[in-house]
Amino acid sequence: MSQLEDMRLFIEVVDAGSFTAAAEKAGLSKQFLSKRIMALEARLGVRLLTRSTRHLRTTDLGRAYEEQARSILQDVDGLEQRISGTNRIPRGRLRVTAPMSFGTMHLSPVIPKFLVAYPEVSIELDLSDRTVDLLGEGYDLAVRIGSLADSSLIARSIAPMTIVTCCSPAYLQRHGAPEHPADLATHDCLLYGHGRHVEWLFGGASPTRITVNGRMRANNGELVRDAAIQDLGIAYLPTFIVGAAIEAGKLVTVLDAWRPPVAAVHTVYPQHRQTSLLIHTFADFLRGCFAAPTRAL
């Protein structure tokens, strides 16, 4: 058997969780499958799996081999599909990371639709508001909000996004409305994100960046929104997080003459995966779901 075939068998075992289940799925004997994995380990000179009567787990080296093997097999499948031109069906596992709020509010209803449309695809979704290292952590694609830092990643816009500055009616009554972004220096600002300094970008006749400060900082937009609803300060958030609260009257917008420029939601992925049929199909699917020409998220 070739190295690629042994890779596929190893992935089958890991996904199935046992040699017996993997053998049944592949239509092979358990003994044959076990011998192939042992031969693979012998060729590499390392132990990839720990085995017991009840459990089968990957070792640290096994997990590293698994991540690289999946990437290699997806690239090979994509290459063969593009060259042959006869089988444009995405298949394989896709590891995706996305911000928590966007994932729960927008990806939650559309990912099941994607899996129904493409039954040979599986998705592993990780929701986190930190900036994930795609290459270092083995992700295929990330959904990212707003401006992007310069990097070697390929970015594709999938939807426009509106950001507003807002606070509760009670906070507004107590502290008054800022008339200019510079007035935020005298207000409690609710900070979303990491970093030593937080800047808010405003549009209007003279676009400007303002460094803001406040007593509360969180890496999740919904927590910041809830703090604003509870009269703790002024928030700067996308409408997909605060829109319902604004419609309900729990929050009101301020600095409307200085509205931030319309931003975007992007998919990003490593350059070496730019030919992946699975990644392109998923990114196109998200764009089709979210890129409404008449409104932003």
Side-chain angles (χ1 to χ4, degrees):
M1 281 190 135
S2 70
Q3 290 175 310
L4 286 177
E5 289 172 326
D6 283 346
M7 280 185 185
R8 292 188 190 280
L9 292 178
F10 176 76
I11 296 301
E12 289 277 2
V13 171
V14 172
D15 288 344
S18 73
F19 282 100
T20 300
E24 290 178 356
K25 182 176 180 180
L28 302 169
S29 71
K30 177 183 175 181
Q31 292 76 14
F32 175 82
L33 193 56
S34 179
K35 287 181 179 179
R36 291 314 313 162
I37 300 304
M38 290 175 64
L40 173 62
E41 291 176 322
R43 185 170 69 246
L44 296 174
V46 298
R47 178 63 65 88
L48 299 176
L49 298 170
T50 58
R51 306 159 174 84
S52 70
T53 55
R54 293 187 178 182
H55 300 288
L56 183 148
R57 295 188 179 90
T58 52
T59 63
D60 290 342
L61 289 174
R63 283 189 290 275
Y65 182 84
E66 176 196 354
E67 290 181 2
Q68 292 300 313
R70 289 187 189 277
S71 178
I72 290 169
L73 291 172
Q74 286 181 352
D75 286 343
V76 170
D77 288 342
L79 174 62
E80 289 183 349
Q81 290 172 23
R82 288 189 302 276
I83 295 299
S84 69
T86 60
N87 186 14
R88 304 288 294 174
I89 301 173
R91 56 170 56 86
R93 186 185 71 157
L94 189 67
R95 295 193 73 213
V96 178
T97 177
M100 181 71 69
S101 299
F102 189 85
T104 56
M105 299 173 72
H106 292 289
L107 294 183
S108 175
V110 303
I111 284 182
K113 296 178 182 178
F114 183 82
L115 293 175
V116 169
Y118 300 99
E120 295 188 51
V121 173
S122 63
I123 290 180
E124 179 182 323
L125 176 63
D126 176 67
L127 299 182
S128 173
D129 287 320
R130 67 185 178 89
T131 301
V132 172
D133 178 0
L134 266 68
L135 290 172
E137 299 181 51
Y139 287 94
D140 301 303
L141 177 146
V143 176
R144 292 192 174 157
I145 307 295
S147 59
L148 300 172
D150 291 337
S151 73
S152 60
L153 300 175
I154 295 174
R156 297 178 61 192
S157 173
I158 60 171
M161 180 187 68
T162 298
I163 297 174
V164 295
T165 313
C166 58
C167 62
S168 69
Y171 179 91
L172 192 64
Q173 184 176 14
R174 189 180 307 130
H175 298 279
E179 297 182 1
H180 186 279
D183 296 339
L184 292 170
T186 63
H187 284 268
D188 287 322
C189 295
L190 302 169
L191 311 182
Y192 172 34
H194 302 282
R196 191 170 184 179
H197 302 288
V198 174
E199 289 185 334
W200 291 356
L201 173 64
F202 292 92
S206 179
T208 183
R209 290 183 181 272
I210 299 293
T211 299
V212 294
N213 295 286
R215 295 185 300 132
M216 178 177 172
R217 180 195 301 260
N219 70 341
N220 179 265
E222 290 170 288
L223 294 179
V224 174
R225 176 202 61 199
D226 293 346
I229 291 173
Q230 295 175 54
D231 315 323
L232 292 181
I234 296 177
Y236 178 95
L237 290 168
T239 52
F240 72 78
I241 294 178
V242 297
I246 291 172
E247 290 181 5
K250 296 178 180 179
L251 294 174
V252 294
T253 61
V254 296
L255 295 171
D256 288 342
W258 297 81
R259 284 247 175 143
V262 174
V265 180
H266 297 87
T267 55
V268 299
Y269 47 87
Q271 288 189 8
H272 74 277
R273 303 304 309 282
Q274 62 183 309
T275 58
S276 167
L277 174 62
L278 178 52
I279 287 176
H280 276 279
T281 302
F282 185 69
D284 289 343
F285 183 85
L286 293 185
R287 182 177 177 82
C289 290
F290 301 135
T294 57
R295 66 176 182 86
L297 289 172

